[in-house]
């Protein structure tokens, strides 16, 4: 079978869809991160979990999921992996024995401290196609987009604290609410 040339067969009805471009951006983001942090054997999800536990630990698994927008099964998998690698410890929460508290282990601290420079290099590489102003605008628009659709996916909405300007509310933000309403109606009519 002859190799197809994508450029000879453009699909604007696909390539011009925000979801397609966002998926491609996510693929590129993960690839850059994995390549840059290859010596540390960390995925972006694991790095996020270690960073959150480092900053806020001891923290419950539920709070970890909420802060990073993970669903419960992803959170359980990431925690099990990090506990298995002895990067975080899971212990009974002293305030509520039904819950577990996650803390960073000394090995987790050492790994996280060691990979921070590489993680920053990955972040800068992903923003390199933009000027400084464009990079700030790109991130602001991504936060605005995600805020507009929080609650649509199975993952919990993420509270995003940043040092940049707050996300301004607009009439377009109601799009996420409208889609969520349609999804709920569709589920109840099944």
């Amino acid at each position: 079978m002859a190799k197809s040339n994508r450029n000879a067969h453009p699909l604007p009805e696909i390539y011009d869809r925000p979801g397609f471009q966002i998926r491609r951006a996510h693929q590129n983001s993960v690839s850059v991160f994995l390549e840059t942090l290859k010596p540390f054997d960390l995925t972006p999800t694991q790095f996020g979990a270690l960073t959150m536990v480092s900053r806020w630990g001891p923290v419950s698994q539920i709070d970890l999921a909420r802060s990073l927008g993970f669903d419960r099964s992803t959170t359980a998998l990431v925690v099990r992996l990090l506990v298995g690698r002895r990067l975080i410890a899971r212990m009974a929460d002293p305030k509520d024995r039904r819950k577990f508290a996650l803390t960073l282990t000394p090995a987790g601290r050492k790994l996280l401290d060691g990979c921070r420079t590489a993680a920053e290099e990955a972040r800068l590489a992903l923003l390199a196609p933009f000027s400084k102003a464009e990079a700030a605008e790109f991130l602001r628009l991504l936060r605005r987009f995600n805020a507009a659709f929080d609650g649509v996916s199975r993952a919990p909405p993420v509270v995003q604290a940043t040092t940049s300007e707050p996300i301004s509310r607009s009439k377009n933000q109601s799009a996420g609410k409208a889609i969520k309403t349609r999804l709920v109606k569709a589920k109840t009519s099944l």
Side-chain angles (χ1 to χ4, degrees):
M1 179 183 243
K3 191 174 183 179
S4 171
N5 181 355
R6 270 194 303 195
N7 295 330
H9 306 286
L11 296 168
E13 66 273 21
I14 298 297
Y15 301 154
D16 290 343
R17 298 182 68 79
F20 179 83
Q21 293 300 327
I22 292 166
R23 183 181 59 80
R24 292 286 297 134
H26 181 257
Q27 289 170 328
N28 290 325
S29 173
V30 169
S31 294
V32 167
F33 187 93
L34 291 175
E35 186 60 34
T36 308
L37 276 85
K38 197 176 203 173
F40 302 97
D41 192 25
L42 279 180
T43 67
T45 305
Q46 293 166 356
F47 176 79
L50 286 173
T51 300
M52 197 274 184
V53 171
S54 169
R55 168 101 31 110
W56 300 109
V59 64
S60 74
Q61 202 162 307
I62 292 168
D63 288 338
L64 174 67
R66 284 185 185 140
S67 70
L68 297 175
F70 295 165
D71 59 39
R72 289 182 354 177
S73 60
T74 299
T75 306
L77 176 65
V78 170
V79 167
R80 188 168 47 249
L81 264 158
L82 295 175
V83 167
R85 289 180 63 185
R86 298 176 189 219
L87 300 174
I88 62 173
R90 185 174 22 198
M91 59 188 175
D93 187 331
K95 296 176 187 170
D96 184 348
R97 295 278 180 196
R98 298 169 296 170
K99 292 181 182 179
F100 288 101
L102 305 172
T103 58
L104 205 60
T105 64
R109 167 72 54 212
K110 183 177 179 182
L111 180 68
L112 192 57
D113 289 346
C115 75
R116 284 192 197 277
T117 300
E120 180 63 7
E121 287 172 11
R123 187 186 76 79
L124 293 174
L126 290 168
L127 296 174
F130 306 113
S131 69
K132 189 173 182 176
E134 288 171 333
E137 179 68 359
F138 176 68
L139 292 172
R140 187 189 70 75
L141 289 171
L142 284 172
R143 284 191 294 275
R144 182 174 170 186
F145 178 87
N146 287 325
F149 292 97
D150 263 351
V152 172
S153 72
R154 290 184 306 152
V158 176
V159 175
Q160 299 179 29
T162 65
T163 56
S164 60
E165 68 182 75
I167 299 167
S168 62
R169 299 286 180 221
S170 72
K171 62 182 179 185
N172 292 336
Q173 268 189 309
S174 63
K177 290 179 185 173
I179 290 172
K180 186 175 182 181
T181 302
R182 284 200 302 263
L183 288 171
V184 169
K185 285 181 181 177
K187 286 179 184 177
T188 56
S189 65
L190 293 177

